Amino acid sequence: MTVMSQIYQLPAIISHENVEDVLLAIEKILKALPSSDSLTINCQELKSFDSTALSLILSIKRRAEKSSVAIHLNNVPEKLASLAKVYDLADIVLS
């Protein structure tokens, strides 16, 4: 069995205004992926965010787990990693 991986580029801004659109786009990808595939979330362009980004990542991970799809985060901004540590979510969000 070949394991495939999709890549999703997060937008430069994640806020209350666009988080649902981002989540819907990622949900479409997750639904299209067979079990045991993976989705890489590239955070390279992410520049402006708050705790909404943490909520988004938690939601993505929960949905992916239900679909047996692995989630990988690449290029996580230092600010996002620090925010995850402040909220005691680093083990969940950054793993």
Side-chain angles (χ1 to χ4, degrees), residues 23-55:
L23 186 56
L24 285 173
I26 293 171
E27 281 181 333
K28 277 185 175 179
I29 295 169
L30 288 174
K31 287 179 183 177
L33 288 174
S35 296
S36 72
D37 276 8
S38 65
L39 175 61
T40 299
I41 307 290
N42 188 355
C43 304
Q44 184 173 3
E45 300 297 320
L46 186 59
K47 305 293 183 222
S48 178
F49 56 89
D50 56 19
S51 60
T52 305
L54 290 178
S55 295

Side-chain angles (χ1 to χ4, degrees), residues 4 7-8 10 16-17 26-27 31 34 36 42 47-48 51-52 54-55 57 67 70 72 80 88-92 94:
M4 300 295 291
I7 298 175
Y8 180 83
L10 285 178
H16 294 318
E17 286 79 31
I26 293 171
E27 281 181 333
K31 287 179 183 177
S36 72
N42 188 355
K47 305 293 183 222
S48 178
S51 60
T52 305
L54 290 178
S55 295
I57 293 168
S67 301
H72 306 285
L80 183 60
D88 199 25
L89 294 172
D91 290 347
I92 299 167
L94 304 176

Side-chain angles (χ1 to χ4, degrees), residues 70-91:
I71 296 292
H72 306 285
L73 296 177
N74 283 353
N75 304 308
V76 176
E78 181 65 33
K79 181 181 168 189
L80 183 60
S82 295
L83 196 58
K85 289 175 188 169
V86 166
Y87 284 98
D88 199 25
L89 294 172
D91 290 347

